[in-house]
Amino acid sequence: YSKMFVTDGDYKKREFEIDFIIIDPDRGAICLEVKGGLIRFDGTNSTWSQNSKKMKDPVQQATSNCHSFLNQYKRIIGDLPVGWGVCFPGCEMKNSKNSVAFASPAQLIDQVNLLYPVFAIDDLMKEIQKTHSNKRGLRKRDYEKFKEFLLRGLGFVQTLATSIKYGEERFVELTEQQKHFFKGVMSNPNLIVN
């Protein structure tokens, strides 16, 4: 969840973030965008609002992030079908079984669908498989390598050479401060310094 990605920027978004990535190596991957609050879509003007305030198009965000994800990892993903969905946990869609031009019903998950999230994700996974019927999934070894790549950490070490160099610079800095202090003290004729 909440994975941030940075690319080389060549003909791609420089940075993108995916709210949830759900992967079943045998079936596919879902890039899921989540938008809370009361959501409304005005089909006449093609505008979205969240709690009565204009918002970015969540479907466009989901598709764009999904394509960026595919471009970033196309060599690693191989034969894994990848698709997108948008989740609205804070509201219920009227007529949720009706299609809209920009998404299938399975791609729009609302509060009611979240009562049974396993079924909602299963329906979306079936939709992705249907759309990418020529893709067969990832072998276990490739999936484990991909998962390790996505979840890898970053460690830091302090080398002895860097520590010594830092210590030398700090020592020189302190020595210069001490010289300046003693010069000031020595120039005062009212003090005796031993």
Side-chain angles (χ1 to χ4, degrees), residues 68-136:
S68 294
F69 182 76
L70 280 166
N71 286 336
Q72 181 78 354
Y73 299 108
K74 61 184 160 203
R75 284 184 294 138
I76 300 171
I77 291 172
D79 221 19
L80 184 71
V82 178
W84 60 270
V86 182
C87 183
F88 306 108
C91 57
E92 180 181 339
M93 289 180 287
K94 295 179 190 175
N95 306 323
S96 62
K97 297 298 177 203
N98 294 340
S99 302
V100 289
F102 54 81
S104 74
Q107 289 175 300
L108 304 175
I109 300 170
D110 67 0
Q111 198 173 44
V112 173
N113 298 126
L114 289 177
L115 293 172
Y116 306 99
V118 172
F119 296 124
I121 296 301
D122 186 57
D123 288 346
L124 180 49
M125 202 62 89
K126 286 176 184 171
E127 181 72 25
I128 291 168
Q129 286 179 300
K130 188 169 61 174
T131 305
H132 303 284
S133 58
N134 60 327
K135 299 207 174 215
R136 301 288 176 231

Side-chain angles (χ1 to χ4, degrees), residues 154-168:
L154 181 61
F156 294 90
V157 295
Q158 187 175 31
T159 62
L160 183 58
T162 304
S163 298
I164 291 170
K165 182 72 176 161
Y166 176 77
E168 285 174 0

